[in-house]
Amino acid sequence: MRIDIADPPTLWARWGALAAALTTLGNDDVYWCDANGAHHDDHGGNWARLVLVDGGRAVLFGYDHEYSDTTWASPPLDLLAGAPAWLPWPELTRHAESDELGYVYWYDGGWTRVPYPDPSLDDGLRASARAVLDAEQARRELGEVVFEWGGHHPTDEPTERAEVTVEADRLLAAATAATVDESALDRLLGRIRPRPVDPGAGTAMAARFGLTPTTVPPTVAAGTEVPDRLVRALSDDGHDALVWAAMRQAVEAKRPTPTDTPELAALVGWARDRSPAGDGRCSVTFTVTDGALRQHSGGTPPAARPDEDRWAVVEEAVERVRRLHRAEADPEHGRWIFLRIDTTADDFTVERHYDSWPAGLPVDRHGGPGRTELQKEMDRRGPAYRPAWVVLLAPEVAYLGPPPPFTDLV
């Protein structure tokens, strides 16, 4: 699918101009260049790469942890499906297999990417590489280097901003013409006081990009074949749904019922006290793991008092359920994942699920216990008390698909 993006030399010049400007201020780890191409890293989990490949080709790829919805698309989206052999496959597959590849665009006379099932799907390109995608944004970003990164606060700011815009344009033009020198950087950044600037360091960075006289941009050798690689068969949501489906089919292993504890008595007493009708009848259901606790709706839920914040009820429930969860933990049998308590004025019942999803608890938009949390629980149990579905928690299941007898759950 052809995409309208500026050509690689234009992107490269903007990238190098930003790298040179920031390096002049001592920040050489935001935009930079090495033998493997151009890098951008905001040190917040978002990054972009531009690699020039022999033969006038290029590849632009990256990831934004907030906006790369392609990474979590359901069904999975293979960003490298049908991609050419000349791409830098080792780096691309490494990012893809760690779910940190939001977009891949390759250039061979024009920019191409795989089609997206939804044209509005955000891949994170604009969020992670915005500064190099158009001239106005590059100009604005160079201004930010002066005023934000450099902390420049002139007396006559409108006039100064106009001058900075002119010098930013000149630096971008010099980068395009591969004539960046210390004077171009000093005209833009030498106005910053009292912070020290080092136009020599910035020029050295521009030289690494091949944007100074007698230097050339680094290119990488073209690949020769598409390697064997792992491709997601299940999205993250699909993997969760597989585990929860297996939990709904599971049967509880036989294990001793925990003895009554003060923590159980406290939770039962609290539920009775919160009876909505005031007659001691109350029912509460919880999903509990180390890192999460959720109270489910339905039944006869605990009630807040007229003058009470409704969150007070939730906080009280969390505190008491957590205490019971710890009190009933067993190093061999494990900890329950689901708990239901029903009370009356003079009796109560407790239903604990360690291995299975309760039959009366639907799967809703909030989902269920997370795979990472479930794995923690399974790891500390004795082997005899790990349900068969534990094999589905392995990350490779998302790529290889579920093993028997769970193949029919997909």
Side-chain angles (χ1 to χ4, degrees), residues 176-195:
T176 300
T179 58
V180 175
D181 57 18
E182 290 189 25
S183 64
L185 291 165
D186 189 60
R187 285 195 302 270
L188 177 66
L189 298 157
R191 69 193 68 239
I192 297 173
R193 297 289 186 273
R195 178 170 178 166

Side-chain angles (χ1 to χ4, degrees), residues 74-266:
S74 187
L77 177 59
D78 181 7
L79 296 173
L80 296 169
W86 55 262
L87 294 181
W89 282 94
E91 184 175 6
L92 292 170
T93 53
R94 184 177 75 251
H95 290 305
E97 290 172 9
S98 62
D99 293 325
E100 291 188 347
L101 188 64
Y103 56 88
V104 184
Y105 296 77
W106 54 91
Y107 183 92
D108 193 356
W111 288 105
T112 303
R113 64 159 169 78
V114 300
Y116 297 164
D118 179 354
S120 66
L121 191 65
D122 194 344
D123 59 12
L125 172 66
R126 297 287 168 185
S128 63
R130 184 186 308 274
V132 302
L133 294 180
D134 67 77
E136 177 58 33
Q137 190 60 45
R139 182 185 303 114
R140 186 178 298 118
E141 194 74 14
L142 285 171
E144 293 301 301
V145 173
V146 174
F147 294 102
E148 297 299 326
W149 290 83
H152 184 49
H153 301 295
T155 303
D156 186 356
E157 185 168 332
T159 299
E160 189 77 348
R161 284 192 176 273
E163 292 179 3
V164 165
T165 296
V166 171
E167 295 304 334
D169 279 335
R170 287 177 176 170
L171 177 59
L172 288 167
T176 300
T179 58
V180 175
D181 57 18
E182 290 189 25
S183 64
L185 291 165
D186 189 60
R187 285 195 302 270
L188 177 66
L189 298 157
R191 69 193 68 239
I192 297 173
R193 297 289 186 273
R195 178 170 178 166
V197 296
D198 187 353
T203 304
M205 177 62 76
R208 287 161 63 177
F209 275 85
L211 302 181
T212 61
T214 75
T215 62
V216 294
T219 59
V220 303
T224 57
E225 61 180 1
V226 177
D228 293 333
R229 61 192 179 92
L230 293 175
V231 178
R232 266 192 177 271
L234 295 170
S235 66
D236 210 45
D237 289 346
H239 196 171
D240 285 338
L242 171 69
V243 172
W244 300 335
M247 293 176 73
R248 290 195 296 276
Q249 293 186 358
V251 176
E252 288 290 305
K254 292 183 178 179
R255 48 172 59 82
T257 300
T259 58
D260 289 351
T261 62
E263 289 81 5
L264 177 60

